[in-house]
């Protein structure tokens, strides 16, 4: 193949990731041979993360599905698209006629962040409306907190960090889940900013920080109150905070209700370290970047509220270089007014408890489930219950590119496009740039996009006309709010565009979108951090890993038992490298232990996204429960213990 035959095609990464990168794909003879980051994208800066730079292995993997599958007993048989869709459509119509649309559940999660996936939701709203999820296992608790506190949820421009004197990464591991933030914080550091990390896990990002505080898991509330106490006590709190905050006297009284030593004790950090954290945060402007992982706990929403209050009383809100940034409004630029239907969904099942909720649903029961861009068996708590729920429906349809844990329990699996074949639009939840994704190659024969599948379904269910628009028409419609402000589809085709509606900093006038126009400080906070029990002293934390996007492991990567990292003192009687059984209240799982003496003695660290069918699914151990607000899942509060593995034990997760 000569050099000149290589063509470079631009697209965007649609993975559930804050960065929404621009991608340049090299295509030779119809085959993609190389992926690189778009050098012209101000955030991507020409590089991709570990997982997506290896995406071609997934794109061209022999296990990729290229024909629809229909269940036959315990296995699947290939079936033609028309036959599959005719049968699915007639069954959905029958279930709707017999039991009403509430008997059908459409569940979508984070397989793609593309805005056109909203059209799939829209289809099911128009077909029904059918049952959908409530809450959000990704960011729900923190979303609810920010809405209560500030009446809105938005972040400072990414490059506003260059104005900061202090940057606090509170529960963020940039090397895993925000790699394009690294050059920005390092540049800020070069300009004199101090980098601070607060995380129960000692990870790579902690090692690039000037100060690292390692509280107990879920110890953030006392830690934040300790910092607030120190700010009030030393006069470093904003003297004008009362002008823009409701609840200030009560929050102040709460922070001052205990000594610094007491707060430090509750957070399980040394008092000097707490004082140092307060001192660092008092150096304004200080940007507080709140991670998503920490709110996946029972008190997740309260935790984010405590941090919001810290931002407000320190006078860091509304100033360049400050802010309490949790989520960038990735949908903010787009006109989604077409979505939904005149009537609300007839029923919402809590996403965090999806498995048990499907099994429990009555009047009508859930008879059919359609899954778009999600692998709930691996990714939602109580994996065994989710698997049972999917397997025991009359009709379960999974649209995916691989035979995932969830697809294995379906009646039909419909093969779909990958991010390199998608035609879509993206906003980001880690910055304000908008990008278009274009298919850099056509999908293999037998593979169809979600959009095309929905169009085919619409043809068979009396909605053909409503869903006749092609991708380009939907894109133009989605961009209606910003098209005449420099972000039309034609503008996006020339390269990434900053969302013209996004602010540089939030609430510059300190007028909040709350009913009173003031920030709503939290005045009561739970102080009982999650903890292991006498029987099960470790807390399970299964976190994002750089090696994989959620459960999207490369086939062949999930061989043997999963790894569990612990402090050696947390595994007495075991040696580094031993097999052990991790047991929670509801299930157990065989792991390979890896010792790391930088970790706390009360946590057991695993990678998120392991498959149940590979015996590597941490979520099989996690009881399904919702957070204090916002319907996030309580992933990280699960007490576990280590047990020896009998010689003949095989690494499959069992229910205890
Ligand atoms: N490589 C890779 N990148 C990803 C993903 C992936 O699977 N792999 N997933 C994507 C998705 S869906 C999302 S939502 C984001 C996830 O991004 P995050 O939710 O930010 O990622 P996590 O690693 O789960 O958690 C971030 C940090 O929070 C810390 N944390 C957990 N509990 C606490 C606590 O109680 N207090 C404090 N202070 N910190 C705590 C963890 O130790 C971890 O270091 O990343 C996205 N990016
Ligand atoms: N223990 C633990 N569990 C967690 C988390 C945690 O931190 N710890 N994190 C949680 C979080 S933050 C999230 S967001 C969820 C993520 O949960 P999911 O979004 O369910 O996770 P993924 O593994 O990304 O599964 C998405 C599936 O979509 C498929 N897919 C990709 N692109 C497309 C497409 O265009 N169309 C269709 N139809 N399918 C597509 C992929 O092949 C993949 O199988 O997991 C949650 N689960
Ligand atoms: S997964 Fe995230 S960091 Fe990796 S290429 Fe995609 S958008 Fe960029
Ligand atoms: Mo997520």
């Amino acid at each position: 193949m000569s050099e000149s035959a290589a063509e470079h095609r631009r697209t965007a990464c649609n993975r559930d990731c804050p960065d929404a990168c621009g991608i340049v794909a090299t295509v030779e003879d119809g085959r993609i041979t190389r992926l690189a980051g778009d050098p012209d994208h101000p955030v991507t800066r020409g590089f991709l993360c570990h997982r997506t730079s290896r995406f071609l292995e997934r794109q061209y993997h022999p296990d990729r599905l290229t024909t629809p599958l229909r269940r036959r007993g315990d296995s699947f048989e290939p079936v033609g698209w028309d036959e599959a869709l005719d049968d699915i459509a007639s069954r959905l119509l029958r279930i709707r006629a017999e039991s009403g649309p509430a008997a059908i559940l459409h569940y979508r999660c984070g397989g793609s962040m593309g805005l056109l996936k909203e059209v799939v939701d829209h289809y099911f709203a128009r077909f029904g409306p059918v049952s959908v999820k409530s809450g959000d296992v990704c960011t729900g608790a923190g979303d609810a907190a920010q809405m209560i506190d500030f009446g809105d949820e938005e972040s400072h421009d990414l490059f506003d960090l260059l104005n900061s004197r202090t940057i606090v990464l509170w529960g963020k591991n940039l090397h895993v889940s925000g790699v394009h933030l690294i050059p920005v914080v390092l540049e800020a550091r070069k300009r004199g900013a101090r980098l601070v990390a607060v995380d129960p896990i000692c990870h790579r990002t902690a090692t690039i920080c000037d100060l690292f505080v390692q509280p107990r898991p879920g110890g953030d509330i006392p830690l934040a109150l300790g910092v607030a106490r120190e700010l009030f006590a030393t006069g470093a709190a904003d003297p004008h905070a009362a002008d823009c905050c409701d609840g200030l006297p009560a929050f102040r009284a709460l922070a001052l209700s205990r000594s610094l030593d007491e707060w430090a004790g509750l957070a399980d950090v040394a008092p000097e370290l707490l004082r140092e954290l307060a001192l660092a945060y008092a150096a304004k402007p200080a940007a507080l970047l709140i991670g998503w992982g920490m709110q996946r706990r029972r008190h997740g929403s309260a935790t984010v509220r405590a941090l919001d209050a810290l931002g407000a009383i320190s006078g860091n809100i509304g100033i360049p270089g400050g802010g309490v940034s949790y989520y960038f409004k990735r949908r903010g630029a787009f006109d989604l007014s077409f979505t939904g239907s005149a009537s609300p969904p007839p029923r919402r099942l809590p996403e965090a408890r999806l498995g048990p909720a499907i099994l429990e649903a009555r009047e009508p029961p859930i008879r059919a489930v359609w899954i778009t861009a999600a692998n709930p068996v691996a990714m939602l708590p109580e994996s065994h219950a989710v698997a049972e729920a999917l397997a025991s429906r009359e009709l379960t349809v999974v649209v995916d590119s691989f035979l995932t844990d969830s697809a294995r329990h379906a009646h039909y699996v419909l093969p779909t496009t990958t991010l390199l074949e998608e035609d879509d639009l993206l906003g980001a939840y880690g910055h304000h740039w908008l990008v278009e994704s274009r298919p850099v190659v056509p999908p293999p024969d037998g593979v169809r996009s979600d959009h095309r599948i929905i169009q085919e379904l619409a043809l068979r269910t009396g909605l053909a006309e409503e869903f006749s628009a092609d991708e380009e028409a939907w894109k133009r419609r989605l961009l209606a709010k910003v098209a005449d402000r420099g972000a039309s589809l034609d503008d996006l085709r020339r390269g990434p565009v900053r969302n013209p509606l996004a602010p540089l900093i939030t609430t510059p006038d300190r007028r909040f979108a709350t009913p009173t126009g003031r920030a709503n400080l939290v005045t009561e906070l739970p102080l009982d951090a999650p903890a292991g029990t006498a029987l099960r002293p470790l807390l399970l934390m299964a976190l994002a890993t750089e090696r994989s996007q959620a459960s999207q492991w490369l086939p062949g990567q999930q061989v043997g038992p999963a790894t569990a990292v612990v402090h050696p003192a947390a595994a007495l009687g075991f040696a580094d490298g031993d097999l052990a059984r991790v047991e929670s209240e509801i299930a157990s799982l065989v792991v390979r232990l890896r010792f790391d003496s930088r970790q706390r003695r009360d946590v057991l660290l695993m990678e998120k996204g392991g498959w149940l069918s590979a015996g590597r699914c941490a979520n099989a151990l996690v009881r399904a429960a919702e957070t204090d607000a916002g319907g996030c899942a309580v992933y990280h509060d699960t007490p576990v213990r280590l047990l020896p593995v009998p010689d003949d034990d095989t690494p499959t997760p069992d229910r205890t």
Side-chain angles (χ1 to χ4, degrees):
M1 172 100 309
S2 71
E3 271 285 302
S4 58
E7 222 190 291
H8 300 294
R9 297 186 189 152
R10 264 157 95 167
T11 187
C13 179
N14 67 14
R15 304 186 105 170
D16 191 341
C17 169
D19 295 356
C21 287
I23 295 180
V24 181
T26 307
V27 182
E28 296 176 72
D29 250 0
R31 194 177 168 92
I32 310 166
T33 53
R34 184 165 180 265
L35 297 177
D38 182 351
D40 299 328
H41 190 299
V43 181
T44 307
R45 297 193 195 194
F47 75 96
L48 300 177
C49 63
H50 177 83
R51 62 199 186 284
T52 301
S53 54
R54 295 183 62 192
F55 191 79
L56 292 182
E57 286 178 52
R58 192 170 166 84
Q59 174 78 9
Y60 292 120
H61 199 280
D63 290 357
R64 194 174 158 197
L65 302 176
T66 52
T67 180
L69 300 175
R70 178 168 57 198
R71 167 159 303 287
R72 189 173 191 163
D74 286 339
S75 62
F76 289 100
E77 60 183 7
V79 58
W81 274 101
D82 281 339
E83 201 182 335
L85 288 168
D86 287 349
D87 186 38
I88 292 168
S90 73
R91 295 220 243 162
L92 290 175
L93 288 166
R94 193 180 69 234
I95 291 170
R96 185 179 71 177
E98 288 170 359
S99 306
I104 299 165
L105 171 73
H106 176 229
Y107 174 65
R108 178 164 76 88
C109 196
S112 162
M113 295 282 103
L115 266 293
L116 256 85
K117 302 299 171 193
E118 308 269 345
V119 178
V120 182
D121 300 353
H122 182 49
Y123 168 80
F124 282 101
R126 297 291 300 118
F127 178 79
V130 303
S131 295
V132 294
K133 69 159 190 168
S134 65
D136 187 273
V137 296
C138 180
T139 57
D143 298 334
Q146 292 234 306
M147 293 308 289
I148 296 169
D149 294 339
F150 303 145
D152 195 10
E153 182 185 35
E154 181 57 291
S155 293
H156 280 220
D157 191 83
L158 187 61
F159 297 105
D160 180 54
L161 288 171
L162 300 178
N163 298 316
S164 302
R165 267 181 79 196
T166 309
I167 298 172
V168 185
L169 304 170
W170 201 304
K172 278 181 103 72
N173 183 359
L174 307 187
H175 285 92
V176 171
S177 50
V179 290
H180 293 88
L181 198 54
I182 297 173
V184 185
V185 298
L186 291 181
E187 171 67 25
R189 189 162 183 247
K190 231 198 257 163
R191 297 188 188 191
R194 191 133 187 259
L195 289 187
V196 180
V198 179
D199 205 303
I201 302 295
C202 181
H203 47 56
R204 202 166 145 204
T205 309
T207 64
I208 62 164
C209 290
D210 303 292
L211 175 65
F212 173 50
V213 181
Q214 195 173 10
R216 73 167 81 251
D220 307 279
I221 292 175
L223 193 63
L225 287 170
V227 172
R229 181 191 206 288
E230 193 65 1
L231 298 185
F232 286 125
T234 59
D238 177 18
H240 305 294
D243 301 344
C244 64
C245 297
D246 287 325
L248 184 63
F251 179 75
R252 190 171 190 277
L254 177 60
L256 293 174
S257 69
R258 293 184 190 237
S259 69
L260 183 112
D261 283 11
E262 283 175 295
W263 288 129
L266 286 170
D268 197 24
V269 302
E272 311 80 69
L273 216 51
L274 169 45
R275 194 169 286 118
E276 216 185 312
L277 175 62
L279 207 61
Y281 192 58
K284 283 202 302 191
L288 181 48
L289 307 189
I290 305 183
W292 307 287
M294 80 174 97
Q295 45 94 61
R296 299 186 191 119
R297 298 187 181 278
R298 190 158 56 98
H299 298 319
S301 195
T303 303
V304 175
R305 293 204 63 193
L307 296 180
D308 287 348
L310 201 53
I313 63 117
S314 61
N316 274 303
I317 293 192
I319 61 170
V324 182
S325 295
Y326 173 68
Y327 197 82
F328 289 73
K329 273 191 195 155
R330 69 178 181 88
R331 295 184 189 83
F334 303 105
D335 181 359
L336 290 164
S337 56
F338 67 84
T339 55
S341 81
S343 39
R347 171 163 63 187
R348 287 183 181 271
L349 305 187
E351 184 178 24
R353 295 189 63 258
L354 197 71
I358 292 173
L359 292 168
E360 288 157 13
R362 299 283 178 273
E363 293 176 22
I366 297 291
R367 295 176 59 187
V369 179
W370 181 291
I371 295 177
T372 304
N375 185 4
V377 171
M379 299 317 292
L380 296 183
E382 274 182 52
S383 298
H384 288 107
V386 182
E388 186 184 334
L390 299 187
S392 54
R393 296 312 93 190
E394 248 171 86
L395 174 67
T396 296
V397 180
V398 172
V399 185
D400 208 307
S401 331
F402 286 89
L403 198 59
T404 63
D405 265 355
S406 304
R408 275 161 210 257
H409 297 286
H411 302 94
Y412 280 101
V413 186
L414 304 179
T416 198
T417 40
T418 67
L419 66 92
L420 297 170
E421 297 149 4
E422 283 280 280
D423 202 356
D424 213 328
L425 291 175
L426 291 141
Y429 62 93
H431 58 74
H432 286 306
W433 270 265
L434 312 173
V435 273
E436 184 192 25
S437 68
R438 301 299 301 273
V440 295
V441 288
D445 284 344
V447 167
R448 296 184 182 176
S449 68
D450 286 297
H451 180 250
R452 168 125 188 248
I453 294 170
I454 285 314
Q455 282 190 314
E456 303 262 357
L457 205 56
L459 268 176
R460 292 165 168 85
T461 52
L463 291 164
E465 205 180 320
E466 237 182 290
F467 290 87
S468 61
D470 63 9
E471 285 88 345
E472 171 142 351
W474 283 115
K475 287 180 182 182
R476 292 195 188 278
R477 192 161 168 183
L478 281 159
L479 288 167
K481 282 199 303 192
V482 289
D484 59 1
R485 303 184 61 171
S488 68
L489 189 56
D490 306 306
D491 294 318
L492 287 182
R493 286 202 170 146
R494 286 189 286 274
V497 174
R498 192 178 182 282
N499 172 7
L501 306 178
L504 284 173
I505 66 171
T506 59
T507 50
D509 51 0
R510 297 201 191 182
R511 284 212 44 88
F512 294 87
T514 54
T516 63
R518 296 144 67 85
N520 181 25
L521 301 192
V522 65
T523 53
E524 274 177 58
L525 283 165
L527 297 181
D528 55 325
T533 59
L535 183 62
R536 300 194 180 87
L538 303 173
L539 284 178
L540 169 66
M541 292 175 64
L543 303 177
T545 162
E546 71 170 349
R547 301 195 302 141
S548 170
Q549 172 69 40
S551 70
Q552 300 174 45
W553 296 95
L554 288 170
Q557 266 185 329
Q558 295 197 83
V559 180
T563 299
V565 178
V566 286
H567 189 283
L572 295 177
F574 294 92
D576 195 11
D578 274 359
L579 288 179
R581 182 168 281 276
V582 180
E583 182 213 62
S584 75
E585 196 187 23
I586 61 167
S588 74
L589 170 73
V590 172
V591 297
R592 175 84 55 195
L593 291 177
R594 190 158 65 70
F595 284 179
D596 181 350
S597 52
R598 299 170 312 163
Q599 303 309 337
R600 294 181 52 93
R601 290 155 195 242
D602 51 5
V603 298
L604 180 134
L605 178 61
M606 288 183 67
E607 293 174 321
K608 85 173 183 189
W611 288 20
L612 193 62
S613 53
R616 299 167 64 104
C617 182
N619 284 334
L621 310 184
V622 175
R623 194 178 274 299
E626 288 189 284
T627 50
D628 47 357
C632 191
V634 181
Y635 284 111
H636 304 321
D637 289 355
T638 305
V640 293
R641 65 169 161 171
L642 291 171
L643 296 170
V645 179
D647 286 344
D648 60 349
D649 215 343
T650 49
T652 40
D654 299 323
R655 291 195 218 204
T656 48

